[in-house]
């Protein structure tokens, strides 16, 4: 598992990630996902 993912997961579980930061992460993941679909 990716180290950055593990750190983000632990931070989320520990309540250290704000909703704004969570939404930014989800937005970034969705953009990357859509780009990968468009490339396929």
């Amino acid at each position: 598992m990716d180290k950055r993912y593990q750190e983000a997961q632990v931070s989320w579980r520990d309540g250290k990630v704000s909703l704004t930061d969570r939404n930014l992460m989800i937005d970034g993941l969705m953009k990357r996902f859509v780009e990968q679909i468009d490339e396929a």
Side-chain angles (χ1 to χ4, degrees):
M1 195 178 295
D2 187 84
K3 183 180 177 183
R4 291 180 297 166
Y5 174 79
Q6 288 178 339
E7 290 171 354
Q9 189 178 35
V10 169
S11 294
W12 176 253
R13 269 194 249 137
D14 292 346
K16 296 178 183 174
V17 177
S18 70
L19 287 178
T20 302
D21 289 343
R22 180 200 67 140
N23 290 341
L24 285 171
M25 287 189 285
I26 291 172
D27 187 49
L29 290 170
M30 290 299 294
K31 285 180 183 178
R32 185 168 32 169
F33 176 69
V34 169
E35 287 173 1
Q36 289 175 350
I37 289 173
D38 287 343
E39 291 173 0

